[in-house]
């Protein structure tokens, strides 16, 4: 088996102190897809009075309760097409990355690196990647695509039994109780409407589509548009129908934002700093993705609108021609249930690439000392030229200490134009650097 347990598992609330780690996935999930642009002073938590501190603690407790017991993401929310252009993986590359849903680890594997270490404090995220690896090793493309392309399988129990023994124990334990996520007869019909983000998509879609049935028809017209110009035309019609009192009310609900992975302090930042607040931010981001970038290749948004991919619009691991090379290389991926800091402490070595998603936003707010500790370990396990890729909800990297930034060489001339092509479209900024 290729799974490794390192460090302590995510603790359960109440009564347990969360671990101090370089991937603050307990206090705030490490792989949030942010829906806002943070101000540059993110790294300085505001002073609050006792009543405000109590309210924040209560809201965080609810957030932790939801995320500490759930699969968070069932699909990656970062565009690997951009990543692979920047990373330029080689046969001797040794990659450390945050697992998320595992889609992008498989995308990187197509470039043939020597090894990929997928690290996540949430064992459920690693269990998802392990199931994908087992299905790829099995080599049955129709079953693989039905599971993870369509999001369900009419014989999901039988297929699971065929790969169950190929899973590490922690993944078997998880899927033994959750394999019904793939049941086409279930109320949600699709795996992609499970997990916290999937549940939020299902709740929002169900509410909107039932209230206004033609909204889904317009959405399908947009996804199937012949051109970006036609998309813009369709979205202009769709936008007027979507944003009514119901949808504006839904996006203001704290529980909906919790399911999407946006905690209360960040919601307040949106309201305080973005013109028009949360509603205006979401509307602006959706308009860019839906009206300015080709929907025909945007599998990120398609899967949450429809609950499935198509063979023409899906992650690369679900393309038939990629199954054989992936099957040959799956042993190069190892999952680790721990933080980035714990992984590097327990697996010292020289790594060529680090893919950090956006979790350092959260470290800067909640534990600046852990942020510095993680960077020191990255440098200690790097060589000159080691590549680092990270995203941020903010528009600057000011939350990373200046002396740490000085040890990196950044390439804004490459990242800024690529960021404009990001099919996800919700991050504030993208950074690619090499260790000096």
């Amino acid at each position: 088996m290729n799974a490794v347990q390192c460090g302590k598992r995510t603790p359960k609330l109440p009564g347990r102190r969360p671990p101090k780690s370089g991937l603050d996935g307990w206090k705030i999930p490490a792989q949030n897809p942010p829906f806002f642009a943070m101000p540059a002073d993110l790294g300085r938590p505001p002073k609050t009075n006792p009543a405000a501190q109590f309210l924040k603690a209560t809201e965080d407790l609810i957030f932790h309760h939801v995320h500490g017991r759930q699969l968070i993401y069932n699909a990656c929310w970062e565009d690997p097409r951009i990543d692979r252009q920047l990373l330029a993986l080689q046969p001797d590359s040794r990659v450390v990355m945050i697992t998320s849903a595992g889609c992008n680890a498989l995308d990187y594997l197509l470039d043939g690196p020597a090894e990929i270490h997928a690290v996540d404090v949430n064992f459920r995220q690693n269990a998802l990647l392990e199931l994908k690896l087992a299905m790829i090793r099995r080599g049955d493309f129709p079953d693989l695509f039905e599971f993870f392309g369509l999001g369900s399988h009419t014989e999901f129990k039988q297929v699971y039994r065929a790969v169950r023994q190929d899973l590490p124990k922690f993944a078997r334990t998880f899927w033994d109780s959750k394999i019904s996520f793939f049941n086409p007869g279930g109320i949600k019909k699709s795996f992609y409407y499970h997990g916290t983000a999937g549940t939020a998509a299902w709740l929002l879609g169900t509410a909107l589509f039932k209230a206004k049935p033609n909204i889904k028809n317009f959405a399908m017209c947009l996804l199937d548009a012949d051109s970006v110009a036609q998309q813009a035309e369709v979205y202009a019609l769709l936008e007027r129908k979507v944003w009514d009192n119901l949808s504006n009310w839904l996006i203001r609900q704290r529980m909906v934002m919790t399911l999407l992975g946006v905690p209360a302090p960040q919601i307040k930042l949106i309201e305080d700093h973005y013109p028009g607040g949360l509603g205006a931010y979401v509307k602006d981001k959706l308009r860019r993705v839906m009206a300015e970038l080709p929907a025909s290749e945007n599998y990120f948004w398609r899967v949450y609108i429809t609950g499935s991919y198509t063979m023409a619009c899906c992650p690369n691991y679900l393309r038939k021609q990629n199954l054989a090379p992936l099957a040959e290389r799956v042993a190069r991926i190892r999952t680790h249930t721990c933080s980035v800091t714990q992984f590097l402490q327990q697996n010292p070595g020289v790594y060529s690439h680090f893919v950090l998603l956006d979790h350092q936003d959260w470290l800067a707010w909640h534990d600046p000392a852990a942020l510095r500790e993680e960077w020191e370990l990255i440098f200690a396990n790097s060589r000159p030229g080691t590549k680092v890729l990270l995203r941020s909800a903010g528009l600057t990297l000011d939350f990373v200490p200046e002396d740490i930034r000085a040890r990196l060489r950044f390439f804004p001339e490459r990242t800024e134009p690529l960021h404009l092509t990001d099919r996800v479209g919700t991050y504030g900024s993208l950074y690619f650097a090499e260790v000096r």
Side-chain angles (χ1 to χ4, degrees), residues 13 26 29 59-72 122 124 195-197 199 254-261:
L13 289 180
W26 176 247
E59 291 169 338
D60 284 349
L61 182 64
I62 296 171
F63 189 88
H64 301 156
H65 181 77
V66 172
H67 284 262
R69 299 184 179 183
Q70 303 291 330
L71 176 72
I72 302 170
N122 187 341
R124 302 163 189 87
T196 63
T199 296
R254 189 60 50 83
M255 184 53 69
V256 172
M257 292 296 107
T258 294
L259 292 173
L260 287 170

Side-chain angles (χ1 to χ4, degrees), residues 9 26 58 68 90 99 104 110 144 156 162 182 208 225 256 293 300 303 345 351 366 394 430:
R9 284 189 178 180
W26 176 247
T58 302
Q90 301 298 319
T99 306
N104 289 2
L110 290 170
L144 173 67
F156 66 96
F182 296 93
L208 291 174
V256 172
L293 298 175
F300 304 94
V303 77
Q345 288 170 337
Y351 297 98
H366 286 274
L430 169 72

Side-chain angles (χ1 to χ4, degrees), residues 215-232:
I215 287 180
K216 187 166 187 177
N217 295 330
F218 273 112
M220 296 309 299
C221 287
L222 189 149
L223 293 175
D224 296 333
D226 294 332
S227 65
V228 174
Q230 190 177 80
Q231 280 176 225

Side-chain angles (χ1 to χ4, degrees), residues 32-277:
N32 277 350
F35 281 80
F36 56 93
M38 292 184 185
D41 62 355
L42 170 66
R44 297 189 292 274
K47 295 180 179 179
T48 56
N49 59 41
Q53 289 177 333
F54 176 79
L55 179 61
K56 179 182 182 298
T58 302
E59 291 169 338
D60 284 349
L61 182 64
I62 296 171
F63 189 88
H64 301 156
H65 181 77
V66 172
H67 284 262
R69 299 184 179 183
Q70 303 291 330
L71 176 72
I72 302 170
Y73 297 109
N74 46 29
C76 285
W77 206 243
E78 294 79 30
D79 192 340
R81 184 169 64 186
I82 291 174
D83 295 10
R84 289 168 69 184
Q85 290 183 64
L86 293 169
L87 296 174
L89 297 171
Q90 301 298 319
D92 62 347
S93 296
R94 304 182 69 212
V95 182
V96 177
M97 65 179 296
I98 295 170
T99 306
S100 185
C103 319
N104 289 2
L106 296 169
D107 220 287
Y108 301 166
L109 193 60
L110 290 170
D111 290 331
E115 56 191 59
I116 296 175
H117 296 276
V119 179
D120 209 295
V121 294
N122 187 341
F123 71 89
R124 302 163 189 87
Q125 302 299 148
N126 287 330
L128 174 55
L129 176 53
E130 290 289 353
L131 182 59
K132 292 177 179 179
L133 293 172
M135 294 284 287
I136 289 169
R137 278 192 292 267
R138 182 167 176 257
D140 187 310
F141 179 75
D143 282 345
L144 173 67
F145 190 84
E146 201 165 342
F147 251 63
F148 289 108
L150 301 184
S152 63
H153 198 298
T154 53
E155 298 179 350
F156 66 96
K157 291 181 180 179
Q158 295 92 317
V159 173
Y160 175 59
R161 281 198 292 268
V163 299
R164 183 180 181 276
Q165 291 305 312
D166 197 28
L167 296 172
K169 183 178 179 181
F170 80 94
R172 286 199 305 270
T173 300
F174 177 74
W175 289 114
D176 282 354
S177 63
K178 301 297 184 182
I179 199 62
S180 61
F181 284 179
F182 296 93
N183 181 4
I187 188 173
K188 294 182 179 179
K189 310 296 183 186
S190 171
F191 164 71
Y192 292 106
Y193 289 145
H194 290 275
T196 63
T199 296
W202 180 74
L203 289 170
L204 289 168
T206 298
L208 291 174
F209 296 158
K210 285 191 174 181
K212 295 187 176 182
N214 272 347
I215 287 180
K216 187 166 187 177
N217 295 330
F218 273 112
M220 296 309 299
C221 287
L222 189 149
L223 293 175
D224 296 333
D226 294 332
S227 65
V228 174
Q230 190 177 80
Q231 280 176 225
E233 185 178 349
V234 174
Y235 191 69
L237 299 173
L238 177 61
E239 189 174 37
R240 293 203 302 265
K241 293 183 176 292
V242 168
W243 297 111
D244 59 7
N245 291 337
L246 172 62
S247 54
N248 285 317
W249 178 82
L250 282 170
I251 64 171
R252 291 197 304 269
Q253 300 315 297
R254 189 60 50 83
M255 184 53 69
V256 172
M257 292 296 107
T258 294
L259 292 173
L260 287 170
V262 185
Q266 272 59 16
I267 295 172
K268 187 175 187 305
L269 284 173
I270 303 170
E271 298 293 351
D272 289 348
H273 295 277
Y274 193 84

